[in-house]
Coordinates of all heavy atoms in Angstrom, one line a residue:
M210 N 28.9 79.9 -35.2 CA 28.0 79.3 -36.1 C 26.8 80.2 -36.4 O 26.4 80.9 -35.5 CB 27.4 78.0 -35.6 CG 28.5 76.9 -35.3 SD 29.2 76.2 -36.8 CE 27.9 75.2 -37.4
A211 N 26.3 80.2 -37.6 CA 25.2 81.0 -38.0 C 24.0 80.1 -38.5 O 24.3 79.0 -39.0 CB 25.6 82.0 -39.0
T212 N 22.8 80.6 -38.4 CA 21.7 79.9 -38.9 C 21.2 80.6 -40.2 O 20.9 81.7 -40.2 CB 20.5 79.9 -37.9 OG1 21.0 79.3 -36.6 CG2 19.3 79.1 -38.4
Y213 N 21.2 79.8 -41.3 CA 20.7 80.3 -42.6 C 19.4 79.6 -43.0 O 19.2 78.5 -42.6 CB 21.8 80.0 -43.6 CG 23.1 80.7 -43.4 CD1 24.1 80.1 -42.7 CD2 23.3 82.0 -43.8 CE1 25.3 80.7 -42.5 CE2 24.5 82.7 -43.6 CZ 25.5 82.0 -43.0 OH 26.7 82.7 -42.8
S214 N 18.6 80.4 -43.6 CA 17.3 79.8 -44.0 C 17.3 79.5 -45.5 O 17.8 80.3 -46.3 CB 16.2 80.9 -43.8 OG 16.1 81.1 -42.4
Y215 N 16.6 78.4 -45.9 CA 16.4 78.0 -47.3 C 14.9 77.7 -47.5 O 14.2 77.3 -46.5 CB 17.2 76.7 -47.6 CG 18.7 77.0 -47.5 CD1 19.4 76.9 -46.3 CD2 19.4 77.3 -48.7 CE1 20.8 77.1 -46.3 CE2 20.8 77.6 -48.6 CZ 21.5 77.4 -47.4 OH 22.8 77.7 -47.4
R216 N 14.5 77.9 -48.7 CA 13.0 77.7 -49.0 C 12.9 76.6 -50.1 O 13.2 76.8 -51.2 CB 12.4 79.0 -49.4 CG 10.9 78.8 -49.7 CD 10.2 80.1 -50.1 NE 10.4 81.1 -49.0 CZ 9.6 81.3 -48.0 NH1 8.6 80.5 -47.8 NH2 9.8 82.2 -47.1
C217 N 12.3 75.5 -49.7 CA 11.9 74.4 -50.6 C 10.6 74.8 -51.2 O 9.7 75.3 -50.5 CB 11.9 73.1 -49.9 SG 11.3 71.7 -51.0
R218 N 10.4 74.6 -52.5 CA 9.1 74.9 -53.2 C 8.0 74.0 -52.7 O 6.8 74.5 -52.7 CB 9.3 74.8 -54.7 CG 10.2 75.8 -55.3 CD 10.3 75.5 -56.8 NE 11.5 76.3 -57.3 CZ 11.4 77.0 -58.4 NH1 10.4 77.0 -59.1 NH2 12.5 77.7 -58.8
V219 N 8.3 72.8 -52.3 CA 7.2 71.9 -51.9 C 7.0 71.9 -50.4 O 5.9 72.1 -49.9 CB 7.6 70.5 -52.3 CG1 6.6 69.5 -51.8 CG2 7.8 70.4 -53.8
H220 N 8.1 71.9 -49.6 CA 8.0 71.7 -48.1 C 8.2 73.0 -47.3 O 8.1 73.0 -46.1 CB 9.0 70.7 -47.6 CG 8.7 69.3 -48.2 ND1 9.4 68.8 -49.3 CD2 7.7 68.4 -47.9 CE1 9.0 67.6 -49.6 NE2 7.9 67.4 -48.8
G221 N 8.5 74.1 -48.0 CA 8.6 75.4 -47.3 C 10.0 75.6 -46.8 O 11.0 75.1 -47.2
E222 N 10.1 76.5 -45.7 CA 11.4 76.9 -45.2 C 12.0 76.0 -44.2 O 11.3 75.4 -43.4 CB 11.2 78.3 -44.6 CG 12.4 79.1 -44.5 CD 12.1 80.6 -44.2 OE1 11.6 81.3 -45.0 OE2 12.4 81.0 -43.0
F223 N 13.3 75.9 -44.3 CA 14.1 75.1 -43.3 C 15.4 75.8 -43.0 O 15.8 76.7 -43.8 CB 14.3 73.6 -43.8 CG 15.2 73.5 -45.0 CD1 16.5 73.4 -44.9 CD2 14.6 73.6 -46.3 CE1 17.3 73.2 -46.1 CE2 15.4 73.5 -47.4 CZ 16.7 73.3 -47.3
D224 N 16.0 75.5 -41.9 CA 17.2 76.2 -41.5 C 18.4 75.2 -41.5 O 18.3 74.0 -41.4 CB 17.1 76.7 -40.0 CG 16.0 77.8 -39.9 OD1 15.8 78.5 -40.9 OD2 15.4 78.0 -38.8
A225 N 19.6 75.8 -41.7 CA 20.8 75.1 -41.6 C 21.8 75.9 -40.8 O 22.0 77.1 -41.0 CB 21.3 74.9 -43.0
R226 N 22.5 75.2 -39.9 CA 23.6 75.9 -39.1 C 24.9 75.6 -39.8 O 25.4 74.5 -39.9 CB 23.6 75.3 -37.7 CG 22.4 75.8 -36.9 CD 22.5 75.4 -35.5 NE 21.3 75.8 -34.8 CZ 21.0 75.3 -33.6 NH1 21.8 74.4 -33.0 NH2 19.9 75.7 -33.0
L227 N 25.6 76.7 -40.2 CA 26.8 76.6 -40.9 C 27.8 77.7 -40.4 O 27.3 78.7 -39.7 CB 26.6 76.8 -42.4 CG 25.7 75.9 -43.1 CD1 25.3 76.4 -44.5 CD2 26.3 74.5 -43.2
P228 N 29.1 77.5 -40.6 CA 30.0 78.6 -40.2 C 29.7 79.9 -40.9 O 29.1 79.9 -42.0 CB 31.4 78.1 -40.6 CG 31.2 76.6 -40.7 CD 29.8 76.4 -41.1
L229 N 29.9 81.0 -40.3 CA 29.6 82.3 -40.8 C 30.3 82.5 -42.1 O 31.5 82.3 -42.3 CB 30.1 83.4 -39.8 CG 29.6 84.8 -40.1 CD1 28.1 84.9 -40.0 CD2 30.2 85.7 -39.0
G230 N 29.5 82.9 -43.2 CA 30.0 83.1 -44.5 C 30.2 81.9 -45.3 O 30.7 81.9 -46.5
A231 N 29.8 80.7 -44.9 CA 30.0 79.4 -45.6 C 28.8 78.9 -46.2 O 28.7 77.7 -46.5 CB 30.7 78.4 -44.7
A232 N 27.7 79.7 -46.2 CA 26.4 79.2 -46.7 C 26.4 79.2 -48.2 O 26.6 80.2 -48.9 CB 25.3 80.0 -46.2
P233 N 26.1 78.0 -48.9 CA 26.0 78.0 -50.3 C 24.6 78.7 -50.8 O 23.7 78.9 -50.0 CB 26.0 76.5 -50.7 CG 25.5 75.9 -49.4 CD 25.9 76.7 -48.3
G234 N 24.5 79.0 -52.1 CA 23.4 79.6 -52.6 C 22.1 78.7 -52.6 O 21.0 79.2 -52.6
S235 N 22.3 77.4 -52.7 CA 21.2 76.5 -52.6 C 21.7 75.2 -51.8 O 22.9 74.9 -51.7 CB 20.8 76.0 -54.0 OG 21.8 75.4 -54.6
R236 N 20.7 74.5 -51.2 CA 21.0 73.4 -50.4 C 19.9 72.4 -50.6 O 18.7 72.7 -50.8 CB 21.1 73.8 -48.9 CG 21.6 72.8 -48.0 CD 21.8 73.4 -46.6 NE 22.2 72.5 -45.6 CZ 23.4 72.2 -45.3 NH1 24.4 72.7 -46.0 NH2 23.7 71.3 -44.4
G237 N 20.2 71.1 -50.4 CA 19.2 70.1 -50.6 C 18.2 70.1 -49.4 O 18.5 70.2 -48.3
C238 N 16.9 69.9 -49.8 CA 15.8 69.9 -48.8 C 16.0 68.6 -47.9 O 16.2 67.6 -48.5 CB 14.5 69.9 -49.5 SG 13.1 69.7 -48.4
P239 N 15.8 68.7 -46.6 CA 16.0 67.5 -45.8 C 14.9 66.5 -46.0 O 15.1 65.3 -45.7 CB 16.0 68.0 -44.4 CG 15.4 69.4 -44.4 CD 15.6 69.9 -45.8
V240 N 13.7 66.9 -46.5 CA 12.6 66.0 -46.7 C 12.7 65.3 -48.1 O 12.6 64.1 -48.2 CB 11.3 66.7 -46.5 CG1 10.1 65.8 -46.7 CG2 11.2 67.4 -45.2
C241 N 12.8 66.1 -49.2 CA 12.7 65.5 -50.5 C 14.0 65.6 -51.3 O 14.1 64.9 -52.3 CB 11.6 66.3 -51.3 SG 12.0 68.0 -51.6
G242 N 15.0 66.3 -50.8 CA 16.3 66.3 -51.4 C 16.5 67.3 -52.6 O 17.6 67.4 -53.1
T243 N 15.4 67.9 -53.0 CA 15.6 68.9 -54.1 C 16.3 70.1 -53.7 O 16.3 70.5 -52.5 CB 14.2 69.3 -54.7 OG1 13.5 70.0 -53.7 CG2 13.4 68.1 -55.2
Q244 N 17.0 70.8 -54.6 CA 17.8 72.0 -54.3 C 16.8 73.1 -54.0 O 16.0 73.5 -54.7 CB 18.7 72.4 -55.5 CG 19.8 71.4 -55.7 CD 20.8 71.4 -54.5 OE1 21.2 72.5 -54.0 NE2 21.1 70.2 -54.0
A245 N 17.1 73.7 -52.8 CA 16.3 74.9 -52.3 C 17.1 76.1 -52.3 O 18.2 76.1 -51.7 CB 15.7 74.6 -50.9
P246 N 16.7 77.2 -52.9 CA 17.5 78.4 -52.8 C 17.5 79.0 -51.4 O 16.6 78.8 -50.6 CB 16.8 79.3 -53.8 CG 15.4 78.9 -53.9 CD 15.5 77.4 -53.6
R247 N 18.6 79.8 -51.2 CA 18.7 80.4 -49.8 C 17.7 81.6 -49.8 O 17.6 82.4 -50.7 CB 20.1 80.9 -49.7 CG 20.4 81.5 -48.3 CD 21.8 81.8 -48.1 NE 22.0 82.8 -47.1 CZ 23.1 83.5 -46.8 NH1 24.1 83.3 -47.6 NH2 23.1 84.3 -45.8
S248 N 17.1 81.8 -48.6 CA 16.2 82.9 -48.3 C 17.1 84.0 -47.7 O 17.8 83.7 -46.7 CB 15.1 82.5 -47.4 OG 14.3 81.5 -47.9
W249 N 17.1 85.1 -48.2 CA 18.0 86.2 -47.7 C 17.3 86.9 -46.6 O 16.2 87.5 -46.7 CB 18.4 87.2 -48.8 CG 19.2 86.5 -49.8 CD1 18.9 86.0 -51.0 CD2 20.6 86.3 -49.6 NE1 19.9 85.4 -51.6 CE2 21.0 85.6 -50.8 CE3 21.6 86.5 -48.7 CZ2 22.3 85.1 -51.0 CZ3 22.9 86.1 -48.9 CH2 23.2 85.4 -50.0
S250 N 17.8 86.8 -45.4 CA 17.3 87.4 -44.2 C 18.5 87.8 -43.3 O 19.6 87.5 -43.6 CB 16.3 86.5 -43.5 OG 17.0 85.3 -43.1
G251 N 18.2 88.3 -42.1 CA 19.2 88.6 -41.2 C 19.8 87.3 -40.6 O 19.1 86.3 -40.5
V252 N 21.1 87.4 -40.3 CA 21.7 86.2 -39.8 C 21.5 86.0 -38.3 O 21.6 87.0 -37.6 CB 23.3 86.3 -40.1 CG1 24.0 85.1 -39.5 CG2 23.5 86.4 -41.5
A253 N 21.1 84.9 -37.9 CA 20.8 84.6 -36.5 C 22.1 83.9 -35.9 O 22.4 82.8 -36.3 CB 19.6 83.7 -36.3
L254 N 22.8 84.6 -35.0 CA 24.0 84.0 -34.5 C 23.7 83.3 -33.2 O 22.9 83.7 -32.4 CB 25.0 85.1 -34.2 CG 25.5 85.9 -35.4 CD1 26.4 87.1 -35.0 CD2 26.2 85.0 -36.4
L255 N 24.5 82.2 -33.0 CA 24.3 81.4 -31.8 C 25.2 82.1 -30.7 O 26.3 82.6 -31.0 CB 24.7 80.0 -32.0 CG 23.9 79.2 -32.9 CD1 24.5 77.8 -33.1 CD2 22.5 79.1 -32.5
G256 N 24.8 82.0 -29.5 CA 25.6 82.6 -28.4 C 25.1 84.1 -28.2 O 24.5 84.7 -29.0
R257 N 25.5 84.6 -27.0 CA 25.1 85.9 -26.7 C 26.3 86.7 -26.2 O 27.0 86.2 -25.3 CB 24.0 85.8 -25.6 CG 22.8 85.1 -26.1 CD 21.8 84.8 -25.0 NE 21.4 86.0 -24.3 CZ 20.4 86.8 -24.7 NH1 19.7 86.4 -25.8 NH2 20.0 87.8 -24.0
G258 N 26.5 87.8 -26.7 CA 27.6 88.7 -26.3 C 27.1 89.8 -25.4 O 25.9 89.9 -25.1
P259 N 28.0 90.7 -25.0 CA 27.6 91.8 -24.1 C 26.7 92.8 -24.8 O 25.8 93.4 -24.2 CB 28.9 92.4 -23.7 CG 29.9 91.9 -24.7 CD 29.4 90.6 -25.2
A260 N 26.8 92.9 -26.1 CA 25.9 93.8 -26.8 C 24.4 93.3 -26.8 O 23.5 94.1 -26.6 CB 26.4 94.0 -28.3
V261 N 24.3 92.0 -27.0 CA 22.9 91.5 -26.9 C 22.3 91.6 -25.5 O 21.2 91.9 -25.4 CB 22.9 90.0 -27.4 CG1 21.6 89.3 -27.3 CG2 23.4 89.9 -28.8
A262 N 23.2 91.4 -24.5 CA 22.7 91.5 -23.1 C 22.3 92.9 -22.9 O 21.3 93.2 -22.2 CB 23.8 91.1 -22.2
L263 N 23.0 93.9 -23.4 CA 22.6 95.3 -23.2 C 21.3 95.6 -23.9 O 20.4 96.3 -23.3 CB 23.7 96.2 -23.8 CG 23.4 97.7 -23.8 CD1 23.3 98.2 -22.4 CD2 24.5 98.5 -24.5
V264 N 21.1 95.1 -25.1 CA 19.8 95.3 -25.8 C 18.7 94.7 -25.0 O 17.6 95.3 -24.8 CB 19.9 94.8 -27.2 CG1 18.5 94.8 -27.9 CG2 20.8 95.6 -28.0
D265 N 18.9 93.5 -24.5 CA 17.8 92.8 -23.7 C 17.5 93.6 -22.4 O 16.3 93.7 -22.1 CB 18.3 91.4 -23.3 CG 18.3 90.4 -24.5 OD1 17.7 90.8 -25.5 OD2 18.9 89.4 -24.3
R266 N 18.5 94.1 -21.8 CA 18.3 94.9 -20.6 C 17.5 96.2 -20.9 O 16.6 96.6 -20.1 CB 19.6 95.2 -19.9 CG 19.4 95.8 -18.5 CD 20.7 95.9 -17.7 NE 21.7 96.8 -18.4 CZ 22.9 96.5 -18.7 NH1 23.4 95.2 -18.5 NH2 23.7 97.3 -19.3
C267 N 17.8 96.8 -22.0 CA 17.1 98.1 -22.4 C 15.7 97.7 -22.7 O 14.8 98.5 -22.3 CB 17.8 98.7 -23.6 SG 19.4 99.5 -23.1
E268 N 15.4 96.6 -23.4 CA 14.1 96.2 -23.8 C 13.3 95.9 -22.5 O 12.1 96.2 -22.4 CB 14.1 95.0 -24.7 CG 14.5 95.3 -26.1 CD 13.6 96.2 -26.8 OE1 12.4 96.1 -26.7 OE2 14.1 97.1 -27.6
R269 N 13.9 95.2 -21.6 CA 13.2 94.8 -20.3 C 12.9 96.0 -19.5 O 11.9 96.1 -18.8 CB 14.1 93.9 -19.6 CG 13.5 93.1 -18.5 CD 14.3 92.0 -17.9 NE 15.7 92.3 -17.6 CZ 16.7 91.9 -18.3 NH1 16.6 91.0 -19.2 NH2 18.0 92.3 -18.0
S270 N 13.7 97.1 -19.6 CA 13.5 98.3 -18.7 C 12.2 99.1 -19.2 O 11.7 99.9 -18.4 CB 14.7 99.2 -18.7 OG 14.8 99.8 -20.0
R271 N 11.7 98.8 -20.4 CA 10.5 99.5 -20.8 C 9.3 99.0 -19.9 O 8.5 99.8 -19.6 CB 10.2 99.1 -22.2 CG 11.0 99.8 -23.2 CD 10.4 99.4 -24.6 NE 11.4 99.8 -25.6 CZ 11.2 99.6 -26.9 NH1 10.1 98.9 -27.3 NH2 12.1 100.0 -27.8
T272 N 9.2 97.7 -19.7 CA 8.1 97.2 -18.9 C 8.4 96.9 -17.5 O 7.4 96.8 -16.7 CB 7.5 96.0 -19.6 OG1 8.6 95.0 -19.7 CG2 7.0 96.3 -21.0
E273 N 9.6 96.7 -17.2 CA 10.0 96.3 -15.8 C 11.1 97.3 -15.3 O 12.3 96.8 -15.2 CB 10.5 94.9 -15.8 CG 9.5 93.9 -16.3 CD 10.2 92.5 -16.5 OE1 11.3 92.3 -16.0 OE2 9.6 91.7 -17.2
P274 N 10.8 98.5 -15.1 CA 11.9 99.4 -14.7 C 12.5 99.1 -13.3 O 11.8 98.6 -12.5 CB 11.2 100.8 -14.7 CG 9.8 100.5 -14.5 CD 9.5 99.2 -15.1
E275 N 13.8 99.3 -13.2 CA 14.4 99.1 -11.9 C 13.9 100.2 -10.9 O 13.9 101.4 -11.3 CB 15.9 99.1 -12.0 CG 16.4 98.0 -12.8 CD 17.9 98.0 -12.9 OE1 18.6 98.9 -12.3 OE2 18.5 97.2 -13.7
V276 N 13.6 99.8 -9.7 CA 13.0 100.8 -8.7 C 14.2 101.2 -7.8 O 14.9 100.3 -7.2 CB 11.9 100.1 -7.9 CG1 11.4 101.1 -6.8 CG2 10.8 99.7 -8.8
V277 N 14.3 102.5 -7.6 CA 15.4 103.0 -6.7 C 14.7 103.3 -5.4 O 13.7 103.9 -5.3 CB 16.0 104.3 -7.3 CG1 17.0 104.9 -6.4 CG2 16.6 104.0 -8.7
T278 N 15.3 102.7 -4.3 CA 14.7 102.9 -3.0 C 15.5 103.9 -2.2 O 15.0 104.4 -1.1 CB 14.8 101.5 -2.2 OG1 16.1 101.1 -2.1 CG2 13.9 100.5 -2.9
S279 N 16.7 104.3 -2.6 CA 17.4 105.3 -1.9 C 18.3 106.1 -2.8 O 18.5 105.7 -4.0 CB 18.2 104.7 -0.8 OG 19.2 103.9 -1.3
I280 N 18.8 107.2 -2.4 CA 19.6 108.1 -3.2 C 21.0 107.4 -3.3 O 21.5 106.9 -2.3 CB 19.8 109.5 -2.6 CG1 18.4 110.2 -2.5 CG2 20.8 110.3 -3.4 CD1 18.5 111.5 -1.8
P281 N 21.6 107.2 -4.5 CA 22.9 106.6 -4.6 C 23.9 107.4 -3.9 O 23.9 108.6 -3.8 CB 23.1 106.5 -6.1 CG 21.9 107.0 -6.8 CD 21.0 107.6 -5.8
A282 N 24.9 106.7 -3.4 CA 26.0 107.3 -2.7 C 26.9 108.1 -3.7 O 27.0 107.7 -4.9 CB 26.9 106.3 -2.0
R283 N 27.4 109.2 -3.3 CA 28.2 110.0 -4.1 C 29.6 109.3 -4.3 O 30.2 108.9 -3.4 CB 28.5 111.4 -3.5 CG 29.2 112.3 -4.3 CD 29.4 113.6 -3.6 NE 29.2 114.7 -4.5 CZ 29.1 116.0 -4.2 NH1 29.2 116.3 -2.9 NH2 29.0 116.9 -5.1
P284 N 30.0 109.2 -5.6 CA 31.3 108.5 -5.8 C 32.4 109.3 -5.2 O 32.5 110.5 -5.3 CB 31.4 108.4 -7.3 CG 30.5 109.4 -7.8 CD 29.4 109.6 -6.8
R285 N 33.4 108.6 -4.6 CA 34.5 109.3 -4.1 C 35.5 109.6 -5.2 O 35.8 108.7 -6.0 CB 35.2 108.4 -3.0 CG 34.3 108.2 -1.8 CD 35.1 107.4 -0.8 NE 34.9 108.1 0.5 CZ 35.5 107.8 1.6 NH1 36.4 106.8 1.6 NH2 35.3 108.5 2.7
T286 N 36.0 110.8 -5.2 CA 37.0 111.1 -6.2 C 38.4 111.2 -5.5 O 38.5 111.6 -4.3 CB 36.7 112.5 -6.8 OG1 36.6 113.5 -5.8 CG2 35.4 112.4 -7.6
A287 N 39.4 110.9 -6.2 CA 40.7 110.9 -5.6 C 41.2 112.4 -5.5 O 41.0 113.2 -6.4 CB 41.7 110.1 -6.5
R288 N 41.8 112.7 -4.4 CA 42.3 114.0 -4.1 C 43.6 114.2 -4.9 O 44.4 113.3 -4.9 CB 42.5 114.3 -2.7 CG 41.2 114.4 -1.9 CD 41.5 114.7 -0.5 NE 40.4 115.5 0.0 CZ 40.4 116.3 1.0 NH1 41.5 116.5 1.6 NH2 39.3 117.0 1.4
R289 N 43.7 115.4 -5.5 CA 45.0 115.7 -6.1 C 46.0 116.0 -5.1 O 45.7 116.7 -4.1 CB 44.8 116.9 -7.0 CG 44.0 116.6 -8.3 CD 44.0 117.8 -9.1 NE 43.2 117.5 -10.3 CZ 43.0 118.5 -11.2 NH1 43.4 119.7 -11.1 NH2 42.3 118.2 -12.3
P290 N 47.2 115.6 -5.3 CA 48.3 115.9 -4.3 C 48.6 117.4 -4.5 O 48.4 118.0 -5.5 CB 49.5 115.1 -4.7 CG 49.2 114.7 -6.1 CD 47.7 114.7 -6.3
A291 N 49.0 118.0 -3.4 CA 49.3 119.4 -3.4 C 50.5 119.7 -4.3 O 51.4 118.9 -4.3 CB 49.7 119.9 -2.0
P292 N 50.4 120.7 -5.2 CA 51.6 120.9 -6.1 C 52.8 121.2 -5.3 O 52.8 121.9 -4.3 CB 51.1 122.0 -7.0 CG 50.0 122.7 -6.2 CD 49.4 121.7 -5.3
S293 N 53.9 120.8 -5.8 CA 55.2 121.1 -5.2 C 55.6 122.5 -5.5 O 55.1 123.2 -6.4 CB 56.3 120.1 -5.6 OG 56.6 120.4 -7.0
A294 N 56.6 123.0 -4.8 CA 57.1 124.4 -5.0 C 57.7 124.5 -6.4 O 57.6 125.6 -7.0 CB 58.1 124.8 -3.9
A295 N 58.3 123.4 -6.9 CA 58.9 123.5 -8.2 C 57.9 123.6 -9.3 O 58.1 124.2 -10.4 CB 59.8 122.3 -8.4
A296 N 56.7 123.1 -9.1 CA 55.6 123.2 -10.1 C 55.1 124.6 -10.3 O 54.7 124.9 -11.4 CB 54.5 122.3 -9.7
H297 N 55.3 125.5 -9.3 CA 54.8 126.9 -9.4 C 55.7 127.6 -10.4 O 55.3 128.6 -11.0 CB 54.8 127.6 -8.1 CG 53.8 127.1 -7.2 ND1 52.4 127.4 -7.4 CD2 53.8 126.3 -6.1 CE1 51.7 126.8 -6.5 NE2 52.5 126.2 -5.6
R298 N 57.0 127.2 -10.6 CA 57.9 127.9 -11.5 C 57.7 127.5 -12.9 O 58.4 128.0 -13.8 CB 59.3 127.7 -11.0 CG 59.6 128.3 -9.7 CD 61.1 128.3 -9.4 NE 61.5 126.9 -9.3 CZ 61.9 126.3 -8.2 NH1 61.9 126.9 -7.1 NH2 62.3 125.0 -8.2
L299 N 57.0 126.4 -13.2 CA 56.8 125.9 -14.6 C 55.9 126.8 -15.4 O 55.0 127.5 -14.9 CB 56.2 124.5 -14.6 CG 57.1 123.4 -14.0 CD1 56.2 122.1 -13.9 CD2 58.3 123.2 -14.8
P300 N 56.2 127.0 -16.7 CA 55.4 127.8 -17.5 C 54.0 127.2 -17.7 O 53.8 126.0 -17.8 CB 56.1 127.9 -18.9 CG 57.0 126.7 -18.9 CD 57.3 126.4 -17.5
R301 N 53.0 128.1 -17.8 CA 51.6 127.6 -18.0 C 51.3 127.6 -19.5 O 51.7 128.5 -20.2 CB 50.7 128.5 -17.2 CG 51.0 128.7 -15.8 CD 49.9 128.2 -14.9 NE 50.3 128.4 -13.5 CZ 50.3 127.4 -12.7 NH1 49.9 126.2 -13.1 NH2 50.6 127.6 -11.5
P302 N 50.5 126.7 -19.9 CA 50.1 126.6 -21.3 C 49.1 127.7 -21.7 O 48.4 128.2 -20.9 CB 49.5 125.2 -21.5 CG 49.3 124.7 -20.2 CD 50.1 125.5 -19.2

């Protein structure tokens, strides 16, 4: 669901929650019922995805940086198995 804004000439702006892409060009004002044209602005989506959480975390790190108390452990890498004797005879690229 998305939130769309409409502007009534008498009562000002009001919002309507509709499916994404289903907003008409005008809608009746909830107070007086006159047709109000849609205000074109960014769409406000309900719900939060991982991208929004990432943006929030980046914004929060400006004023509340995470404090590191120790050096992070070195990640363990998998050891490559020793090449077999047959691998030595293969052509190299």
Side-chain angles (χ1 to χ4, degrees):
M210 297 292 283
T212 303
Y213 295 96
S214 297
Y215 293 88
R216 182 179 300 275
C217 176
R218 293 178 192 223
V219 179
H220 298 103
E222 202 166 287
F223 64 93
D224 294 333
R226 289 186 183 166
L227 301 166
L229 192 61
S235 64
R236 187 173 178 90
C238 175
V240 179
C241 63
T243 61
Q244 289 295 312
R247 181 173 164 199
S248 300
W249 294 97
S250 62
V252 177
L254 297 176
L255 298 177
R257 299 172 56 87
V261 175
L263 175 64
V264 170
D265 288 346
R266 190 169 64 236
C267 290
E268 290 292 324
R269 195 170 46 249
S270 70
R271 284 187 193 176
T272 57
E273 304 168 15
E275 294 180 6
V276 178
V277 178
T278 57
S279 63
I280 298 173
R283 184 179 220 175
R285 293 186 133 186
T286 58
R288 291 185 149 203
R289 291 184 179 176
S293 66
H297 289 290
R298 293 189 300 250
L299 293 174
R301 305 241 180 235

